[in-house]
Amino acid sequence: MGRWVTPKHRPCAAVRQATAWCNRGGPISAEPRINDRIRVPEVRLVGPSGEQVGIVPLAKALELAQEYDLDLVEVAANARPPVCKLMDYGKFKYESAMKAREARKNQAHTVIKEMKLRPKIDPHDYDTKKGHVVRFLKQGDKVKITIMFRGREQSRPELGYRLLQRLAEDVQDLGFVESSPKQDGRNMIMVLGPHKKKTEAMAEAREAQAARKAGRRQESDAPAEERAEA
């Protein structure tokens, strides 16, 4: 005899219908419908300057779009009737893409840089490492300072603590101690946070870059005699 199939072993009709619907086609487009892709009898029309034209038949809206040499774009598909606007859709898409690109450029991502030091670091190496920390803080980034102990150095944690205190004092104009020194196995860790926000640092960097470009243009546009004298 075959295996008896009880109702609980059969997928319900709703599940079968939903599965079939999901497998019918590809992904739904996020693009708005424009011109002859709009399939409704009438629309609430908005003019090129944002003025309210009112509810008009779709044929009339398409006719006005041709007269203005613009596109009829569905901007609120769920409204009753749908809201459509007369616009240059190609220009609209380009401007939207540029705004999105500019917004991504201005986004501030918090970055934690890391700098490793030894307890008995020599003065030259210390100055070099400190220079990197200064640069990171100026860029608006946090800095994780790690003191690495080896061998007998592990019995002298005060050496690392004093070194971290010294570094924090040397860069106090640019940053502050966000996480106090603490022992982590063979290492001692401290985190410095910048006084300047990331967005401010990015804005200042762009202004400095623009100023440098302007200076180079002025030098290139100056007469040859003035450049020679300079």
Side-chain angles (χ1 to χ4, degrees), residues 31-38 43-49 58 60-75 83-94:
E31 295 286 333
R33 293 186 295 184
I34 65 172
N35 300 328
D36 56 357
R37 295 181 184 177
I38 302 173
V43 299
R44 185 178 297 278
L45 186 62
V46 179
S49 302
L58 176 62
K60 179 62 176 178
L62 290 172
E63 181 182 336
L64 289 173
Q66 290 182 347
E67 290 181 6
Y68 283 104
D69 194 21
L70 295 172
D71 299 301
L72 182 66
V73 183
E74 191 177 56
V75 295
V83 180
C84 295
K85 184 176 181 179
L86 298 174
M87 68 172 72
D88 184 338
Y89 186 59
K91 180 180 178 181
F92 170 76
K93 284 189 67 176
Y94 173 77

Side-chain angles (χ1 to χ4, degrees), residues 183-202:
Q183 197 75 25
D184 183 15
R186 296 184 178 183
N187 301 328
M188 183 175 288
I189 297 173
M190 177 181 73
V191 177
L192 295 174
H195 291 313
K196 189 181 300 181
K197 293 182 179 179
K198 184 72 173 180
T199 51
E200 295 176 359
M202 292 170 62

Side-chain angles (χ1 to χ4, degrees), residues 192-226:
L192 295 174
H195 291 313
K196 189 181 300 181
K197 293 182 179 179
K198 184 72 173 180
T199 51
E200 295 176 359
M202 292 170 62
E204 290 183 2
R206 287 195 296 269
E207 291 176 1
Q209 184 179 10
R212 288 194 297 269
K213 287 183 179 179
R216 287 195 295 268
R217 283 198 298 268
Q218 289 179 355
E219 290 179 0
S220 61
D221 294 341
E225 295 180 357
E226 292 183 8

